[in-house]
Amino acid sequence: MILLRRLLGDVLRRQRQRQGRTLREVSSSARVSLGYLSEVERGQKEASSELLSAICDALDVRMSELMREVSDELALAELAQSAAATESVPSSVRPMLGTVSVTGVPPERVTIKAPAEAVDVVAA
């Protein structure tokens, strides 16, 4: 099962680490306890929209950017989960499910094409 709070926590942690900031610095700036921010980053607590807004402000990141990155991670996790489920489907049924092809565009950019749509995913 894909947990949104874990994906969100991973993205928040990466944003903080990209800036070279500590949990203590961000928690102080966002006015949230160090322990609670740590639990949010580890995906153990669900962050309210107010808390996310404060953390985004502290990180100087737009919430829409944060959510876009979470959405991209979710799309990849769903594709991986779908691919894993397809592996357990009998080979005689697989051709009926459609195909998903992954093509490297340069190494840091991957395009995922599904039958009816295309989704660009930029590696973090």
Side-chain angles (χ1 to χ4, degrees):
M1 175 188 339
I2 301 167
L3 293 178
L4 189 58
R5 70 175 185 253
R6 285 200 182 139
L7 294 175
L8 182 62
D10 289 344
V11 171
L12 284 170
R13 181 183 304 107
R14 277 197 308 274
Q15 287 284 350
R16 178 180 58 78
Q17 290 175 338
R18 282 183 201 138
Q19 296 177 16
R21 297 181 61 194
T22 65
L23 270 171
R24 185 173 308 284
E25 291 169 338
V26 175
S27 69
S28 176
S29 183
R31 297 180 186 233
V32 61
S33 77
L34 178 85
Y36 196 80
L37 180 57
S38 175
E39 288 178 310
V40 168
E41 281 193 1
R42 288 180 283 138
Q44 295 177 335
K45 294 284 185 187
E46 295 275 354
S48 68
S49 57
E50 291 86 357
L51 179 63
L52 283 177
S53 180
I55 295 169
C56 285
D57 287 346
L59 291 170
D60 196 31
V61 173
R62 290 183 179 173
M63 194 177 308
S64 60
E65 292 173 25
L66 177 80
M67 292 305 191
R68 189 174 302 113
E69 194 171 337
V70 171
S71 177
D72 291 346
E73 298 257 337
L74 180 58
L76 288 173
E78 288 173 336
L79 282 172
Q81 194 174 52
S82 177
T86 302
E87 290 300 317
S88 64
V89 174
S91 59
S92 60
V93 177
R94 283 188 208 145
M96 294 181 254
L97 296 176
T99 60
V100 175
S101 62
V102 178
T103 311
V105 181
E108 67 276 0
R109 185 175 174 90
V110 176
T111 300
I112 299 172
K113 294 183 179 179
E117 63 185 313
V119 180
D120 283 335
V121 180
V122 179

